[in-house]
Amino acid sequence: MDTRLKTGTSRWYPVYTQPRAEKKAHQALLNKGIETYLPLRRQLKQWSDRKKWIDEPFIKSYLFVHIAEHDQAEVLMTKGIARFIYFGGKIAPMPDRQIDDLKLLMTSSLELEITEENLLPGEKIILKAGPLKGMTGEIISYRSQKQLVLRLENLGCSVIIHVSASLIDRF
């Protein structure tokens, strides 16, 4: 592993990939010794002649890199990477907690859905039980059901989790 990439203060950054290049970009970054996270979900795909389980990126055209600020150019020079995500004119870092929460979501058995709708902020809640205990989010009304929404800042999308109201507390 390239120790040059591990010096300094590392932070998580979301990066935008070329269309349908998430897996190849992820592998190219790993080959460079760059810590990366690509959330995948297993889906059953059907073709005219067969069905097959495949791992698809959970958030299309996104993956996450854990790097020091001076390593951003190395990421951009990786095949399949289009650009970093900007917020307020600067490359947008993500708190470690958000990546930890996303990893926890991906290992849970909850039904997850990704949406790019601009969801309006609602009542703040915290999960009080289950595999996601301690995770915070907002309640919204969506498709006539109460659902927990974890707003991932600086990502431009929200994760919708179908969860029972008995598992949440207000704060």
Side-chain angles (χ1 to χ4, degrees):
M1 184 179 291
D2 189 348
T3 55
R4 172 182 65 84
L5 296 173
K6 295 299 175 196
T7 59
T9 305
S10 294
R11 298 185 71 182
W12 284 103
Y13 296 91
V15 292
Y16 193 74
T17 67
Q18 299 293 335
R20 303 175 61 93
E22 302 93 344
K23 289 181 183 179
K24 287 181 181 178
H26 172 69
Q27 190 57 53
L29 289 165
L30 290 175
N31 291 344
K32 288 183 173 188
I34 297 173
E35 183 180 358
T36 180
Y37 177 59
L38 174 60
L40 297 171
R41 70 174 165 191
R42 194 155 193 86
Q43 287 195 309
L44 184 62
K45 289 289 189 175
Q46 181 165 348
W47 288 268
S48 60
D49 61 337
R50 69 190 188 290
K51 290 182 182 180
K52 183 178 179 182
W53 286 99
I54 61 168
D55 290 325
E56 283 196 333
F58 180 60
I59 306 171
K60 301 284 187 221
S61 296
Y62 281 88
L63 58 83
F64 306 92
V65 294
H66 193 238
I67 58 169
E69 195 171 322
H70 66 277
D71 294 319
Q72 292 171 353
E74 187 66 32
V75 171
L76 289 173
M77 291 188 295
T78 304
K79 185 174 180 164
I81 299 296
R83 60 183 165 80
F84 279 93
I85 305 302
Y86 285 80
F87 185 75
K90 293 184 173 184
I91 293 177
M94 294 180 66
D96 289 351
R97 173 70 189 199
Q98 285 186 349
I99 296 297
D100 293 341
D101 287 350
L102 186 56
K103 287 178 179 179
L104 182 60
L105 280 171
M106 299 312 299
T107 60
S108 77
S109 60
L110 296 173
E111 181 185 335
L112 302 176
E113 174 185 345
I114 196 87
T115 180
E116 293 185 18
E117 285 186 37
N118 188 15
L119 303 170
L120 298 175
E123 193 171 18
K124 304 276 188 216
I125 59 95
I126 186 167
L127 282 168
K128 63 182 181 180
L132 305 177
K133 182 179 179 178
M135 197 174 288
T136 59
E138 299 174 15
I139 294 178
I140 64 163
S141 180
Y142 186 75
R143 294 187 184 163
S144 303
Q145 296 179 15
K146 284 231 170 180
Q147 298 171 342
L148 169 65
V149 174
L150 289 180
R151 187 175 299 279
L152 299 176
E153 296 170 5
N154 304 333
L155 195 55
C157 67
S158 299
V159 176
I160 297 175
I161 307 168
H162 303 265
V163 64
S164 168
S166 65
L167 295 178
I168 62 173
D169 268 338
R170 291 172 177 84
F171 71 90

